[in-house]
Structures are given as C-alpha cells and as structure tokens.
Amino acid sequence: MTSLPGGLPKVVDVEKPSAARVYDYYLGGNCNFAADRELAKKVATALPGVNEVARINRAFLGRVVRYCVKAGIRQFLDIGSGVPTVGNVHEVAQQVEPRSRVVYVDNEPVAVAHSEMILEDVDLAEVVHADLRDPASILESPHTRALIDFDQPVAVLMVALLHFIPDSDRPLDVIAAYRDRMAPGSMLAISHVTDESLTEGMHRLVEYYASSTNPVTMRKHDQVKSLFSGLELVAPGLVWAPEWQPEDPTSVGPHPENSGIHAGVGLKT
C-alpha cells in the first residue's frame, strides 16, 4: 500500500475489500490491502482474464474522453473515479485541450485521499468525497460548482460504476437527477458488467463481491440500455466495450464478448 501524507483516513476498513481498491489491483496498482488482493485473486480463479477486462474498461474510458473533447466538451464529471492510475481523465482530456476541467467523485476514502494527493498541483481538477446516490452532494459541492457549468455541455462518466447500484436504489431515478441538470450537447458514458458472456465466472464474481463493501448487480443488454433513458445513443450504440469506437479496428479481436462489459455513450439532445 502506497503511503499517504498523514496516514490512512480513519474511516478505512482494511479488513473488508473495496471495489475501488480491488480494481486498482487488477490494473497493477499498489493502493490496496491484503483483503482487496485476496478478493481479486479469488475472482481471477473464476475469471482468469479479469485483469485484461479491467484494462479494456480503462481503455474505453480513454476513448470516451477523447471523443467528448473532440466533440467540443470541456468539462467532465467522473463519478466512481476510483484510485488514480495511468490515463486519468484530466490527463487524457488536457492532453487534447489543456483548458478541460475535471471533477472526480468517489465514496471510497483511500481513492479520495490519493486523488487529493495527485491533484494537489494540478490546475482545473478537483475531487469530491460523495456517493452517486446522493446527487445533491455532488452537484452542489463547492468543487463541482467551481469547475462545472451545467448551462454548458458536460460529460458525465459512470464507468464500471452502476453494477454496484442495486435495483432497490432505483438507478434510473438516480441517473435522471444528473441527466436533468445536463445541458443539451452533454454526454453520459456507462460501462457495466454482464453475465451474458463468461456466465459462470461472472456468477462467481457476484458471489465473491457479496462479502465486499460493493456487492455487484448483473444486468442484461436491454437493462443496461434502459439506463440511457432520455438520451440518444452515440454510434455504434450499446456494444461490447472493445467495439465502442476502437482507434484500431484490429484491436477488437474475434471475441469482444469476452470483455464481459456492455459500454455506450448517450447524448442529450
């Protein structure tokens, strides 16, 4: 575990795995604890390609950010941003347009603490410690209000996030709270795991994550598509993650379904 200035946040439970820290481990990071690594290794026995799945999801995020910048969007709200790693949103966006503004949001204290450390000397990027299910705490945060103008197009990123929101938390209503604040020309990016491929392994993943702070809810293609209600899907629609606007068509491979991830971007018209 990488040390933080002032030590770990007091609210961190190092005995219970966290999705953000497990994902960090999948990506080869070191902001994780023994409990996170134990869960990640159990998942890897059921899904041997889980590290590649994480990298595919991260690559989708990068393509979405570049697409949005090229479409004229200059502000990003990355909810469920996780532990900072290679290819953070502000790095990708500001490489294309240095004036791009980014607000990261996570409810995991270690992810937030690391983000604060990474962003200490970064202009036009802030982090908010909040939960997706409390839209007001995000939309009305001083950091958000300072960097995001909701009268202008914004890219709202919910990448590898909504499968941690059970149906009982009414994800469609939660998303609507953000969509209603987004100006025309804004975009919503979603990636979501599914058990429509790698079925046995995905069912084991759900079983293992049940003991973490972030249990997983699997959804089928049409269920994920419904999360874009009120938006117009950008071509090529809701597809397997490697198929979403690949920079090199040969990188998709013969079995994009092995990503286990449905991914898409919705445009508010």
Side-chain angles (χ1 to χ4, degrees):
M1 174 72 196
T2 299
S3 60
L4 289 166
L8 289 172
K10 293 181 180 179
V11 295
V12 174
D13 181 356
V14 300
E15 301 300 326
K16 196 162 188 176
S18 148
R21 301 192 306 259
V22 172
Y23 187 63
D24 171 70
Y25 181 80
Y26 293 151
L27 290 171
N30 55 11
C31 300
N32 47 75
F33 302 109
D36 306 309
R37 295 188 287 274
E38 181 181 352
L39 173 57
K41 290 173 183 176
K42 286 172 68 175
V43 171
T45 63
L47 282 172
V50 67
N51 291 5
E52 179 61 18
V53 169
R55 286 190 287 270
I56 288 170
N57 185 71
R58 193 71 180 175
F60 165 71
L61 173 64
R63 295 198 304 278
V64 166
V65 172
R66 286 187 287 273
Y67 175 85
C68 289
V69 174
K70 291 175 183 177
I73 293 177
R74 298 292 178 263
Q75 45 187 9
F76 295 82
L77 184 59
D78 184 6
I79 308 176
S81 51
V83 176
T85 185
V86 175
N88 295 302
V89 172
H90 74 276
E91 295 170 329
V92 176
Q94 292 177 359
Q95 187 175 34
V96 182
E97 174 46 72
R99 295 170 296 173
S100 298
R101 308 184 301 280
V102 180
V103 173
Y104 295 101
V105 181
D106 210 284
N107 65 357
E108 210 291 322
V110 171
V112 173
H114 269 274
S115 297
E116 290 173 339
M117 183 174 66
I118 294 293
L119 298 175
E120 188 173 1
D121 298 317
V122 176
D123 293 331
L124 303 180
E126 295 284 358
V127 60
V128 175
H129 187 188
D131 192 294
L132 168 77
R133 292 163 287 197
D134 183 6
S137 69
I138 296 173
L139 298 172
E140 304 305 327
S141 162
H143 287 323
T144 304
R145 291 170 66 89
L147 288 180
I148 305 295
D149 176 3
F150 286 100
D151 290 330
Q152 299 296 321
V154 58
V156 178
L157 311 174
M158 299 183 184
V159 174
L161 172 63
L162 293 169
H163 44 248
F164 297 118
I165 307 299
D167 292 338
S168 59
D169 282 340
R170 303 176 67 87
L172 288 173
D173 292 341
V174 172
I175 294 169
Y178 297 92
R179 185 192 65 229
D180 291 348
R181 287 289 299 274
M182 294 159 60
S186 296
M187 299 194 194
L188 171 67
I190 294 173
S191 65
H192 196 298
V193 295
T194 182
D195 57 3
E196 289 177 294
S197 68
L198 310 173
T199 303
E200 182 178 349
M202 285 298 184
H203 289 173
R204 295 281 296 278
L205 180 148
V206 171
E207 175 187 338
Y208 294 145
Y209 269 80
S211 63
S212 76
T213 57
N214 310 99
V216 170
T217 297
M218 290 287 167
R219 293 187 174 95
K220 310 294 186 187
H221 182 275
D222 286 350
Q223 293 172 304
V224 178
K225 189 174 182 179
S226 72
L227 300 174
F228 290 97
S229 177
L231 302 171
E232 179 182 310
L233 278 169
V234 170
L238 183 66
V239 293
W240 296 111
E243 295 178 314
W244 195 87
Q245 299 205 9
E247 292 165 354
D248 176 3
T250 64
S251 68
V252 174
H255 296 289
E257 71 277 8
N258 286 343
S259 66
I261 300 171
H262 290 314
V265 173
L267 169 68
K268 184 169 182 178
T269 58

